[in-house]
Amino acid sequence: QVQLTESGGGSVQAGGSLRLSCTAPGFTAKSCGLDWYRQSPGYVREWVASLEPDGRTDYGNFVKGRFTISKDSDKDTVFLQMNNLEPGDTATYSCHPMASSSGGSPECFDYRGQGTQVTVSS
């Protein structure tokens, strides 16, 4: 397994913004895509956004244009810019490199991270 690092979480008031980062060594060389998920205590893990290996992006219905996923290939880092945050966005956010029909090595699934906490107060 390869360790990745998630960062950028914190506590903000409703309407605020945060930018989460996920740095995964070798991510670019392996042509990985990446999924962001979130989970709150007592709730199932929820898919937030995807960056496919071919560059396409997709978002959960609840995002409603508030979040943007992007990457800096030179730094093996994927970002999740979150704007207009709501209390319902409070969760631990985690990133998961992946491969799909659009590309990526099977090694993309070998990463593990700790997650980053996002807390939004009303």
Side-chain angles (χ1 to χ4, degrees):
Q1 295 185 347
V2 181
Q3 192 70 28
L4 57 77
T5 303
E6 296 128 323
S7 62
S11 297
V12 296
Q13 291 189 329
S17 298
L18 288 171
R19 188 176 79 157
L20 306 184
S21 298
C22 172
T23 299
F27 169 90
T28 301
K30 298 170 186 176
S31 300
C32 300
L34 186 137
D35 294 321
W36 281 99
Y37 284 87
R38 68 185 188 182
Q39 188 167 20
S40 299
Y43 291 83
V44 299
R45 190 175 69 168
E46 183 176 34
W47 170 68
V48 177
S50 291
L51 173 66
E52 288 287 336
D54 64 4
R56 289 178 295 122
T57 59
D58 199 5
Y59 301 91
N61 289 336
F62 66 88
V63 170
K64 298 178 182 178
R66 301 180 296 132
F67 299 177
T68 303
I69 189 170
S70 62
K71 69 177 179 180
D72 183 335
S73 297
D74 291 340
K75 297 181 179 179
D76 283 337
T77 298
V78 175
F79 304 101
L80 184 67
Q81 177 67 44
M82 306 189 296
N83 299 325
N84 195 19
L85 284 161
E86 304 167 352
D89 296 317
T90 295
T92 299
Y93 286 70
S94 60
C95 63
H96 303 265
M98 54 79 168
S100 72
S101 59
S102 70
S105 161
E107 295 176 354
C108 295
F109 295 102
D110 291 343
Y111 292 91
R112 295 295 180 270
Q114 298 297 319
T116 186
Q117 177 66 36
V118 171
T119 303
V120 185
S121 58
S122 58

